[in-house]
């Protein structure tokens, strides 16, 4: 299965190079410049990662990014935001069960995507799959066991 990426930007020309790089690596890339309807586009596309590429400084794209990472509806989708002033990528993996989001940085787009997918999946598995009960603690203090 291919990784689906939704690229959100404010400059169509700037997204061409990054989009082609990702397509060359067998990723499905969808682009949008409509910052007002991003939630509807996310629901339609169902991306594995949302990638914000703001080459032109804009409060609108920063606001759209903040709305997505703070939305409870999209908490299971990792988000990458381009920090254009120093060619770094801010990676916000999937939110944890307690609503926390770690923010990490990567120095290229491929590392950022790998980081977003790997960290989100590793954390998910650690949180949800407990393999044995701890018998030394009282029953009320034991972790629940989830079976597959």
């Amino acid at each position: 299965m291919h990784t689906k990426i939704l690229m959100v930007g404010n400059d169509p020309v700037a997204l061409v190079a990054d989009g082609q790089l990702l397509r060359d690596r067998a990723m499905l890339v969808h682009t949008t410049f409509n910052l007002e309807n991003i939630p509807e586009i996310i629901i339609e596309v169902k991306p594995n990662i949302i990638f914000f590429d703001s080459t032109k400084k804009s409060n609108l794209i920063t606001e759209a990014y903040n709305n997505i990472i703070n939305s409870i509806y999209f908490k299971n989708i990792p988000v990458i935001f381009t920090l254009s002033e120093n060619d770094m990528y801010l990676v916000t993996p999937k939110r944890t069960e307690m609503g926390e989001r770690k923010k990490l940085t990567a120095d290229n787009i491929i590392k950022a995507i790998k980081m977003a997918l790997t960290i989100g999946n590793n954390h998910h598995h650690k949180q949800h799959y407990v393999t044995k009960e701890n018998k030394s603690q009282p029953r009320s203090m034991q972790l629940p066991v989830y079976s597959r």
Side-chain angles (χ1 to χ4, degrees):
M1 187 166 104
H2 295 284
T3 301
K4 239 191 276 189
I5 298 176
L6 175 61
M7 294 186 81
V8 180
N10 55 7
D11 183 7
V13 176
L15 291 183
V16 172
D18 286 337
Q20 190 57 48
L21 173 72
L22 298 175
R23 284 183 188 97
D24 290 345
R25 298 195 186 263
M27 296 182 196
L28 298 174
V29 180
H30 300 271
T31 57
T32 184
F33 309 102
N34 185 350
L35 300 178
E36 295 172 4
N37 295 327
I38 293 175
E40 290 84 1
I41 295 167
I42 294 170
I43 291 167
E44 182 180 326
V45 171
K46 296 178 178 69
N48 301 103
I49 296 175
I50 302 168
F51 179 82
F52 285 87
D53 191 2
S54 62
T55 54
K56 298 177 184 173
K57 292 194 177 206
S58 167
N59 289 340
L60 291 175
I61 200 156
T62 304
E63 184 180 323
Y65 164 78
N66 285 321
N67 289 340
I68 295 302
I69 66 166
N70 292 322
S71 171
I72 61 170
Y73 301 109
F74 306 118
K75 69 180 184 178
N76 293 324
I77 304 172
V79 180
I80 299 171
F81 188 86
T82 303
L83 302 172
S84 58
E85 62 271 1
N86 56 6
D87 292 329
M88 294 293 288
Y89 298 89
L90 181 65
V91 180
T92 307
K94 296 177 184 179
R95 194 175 323 164
T96 66
E97 291 299 312
M98 292 178 257
E100 301 169 3
R101 280 193 184 248
K102 297 178 181 179
K103 292 184 180 174
L104 309 161
T105 57
D107 61 358
N108 70 55
I109 191 170
I110 301 302
K111 278 186 189 177
I113 289 170
K114 286 180 182 178
M115 190 182 297
L117 293 172
T118 305
I119 292 171
N121 288 337
N122 285 345
H123 181 76
H124 176 74
H125 291 294
K126 287 179 186 175
Q127 285 292 318
H128 292 290
Y129 301 109
V130 178
T131 55
K132 58 185 175 180
E133 291 183 24
N134 185 349
K135 298 289 183 185
S136 63
Q137 295 179 343
R139 183 152 177 84
S140 63
M141 299 297 289
Q142 291 179 4
L143 294 172
V145 176
Y146 297 98
S147 60
R148 294 183 103 185

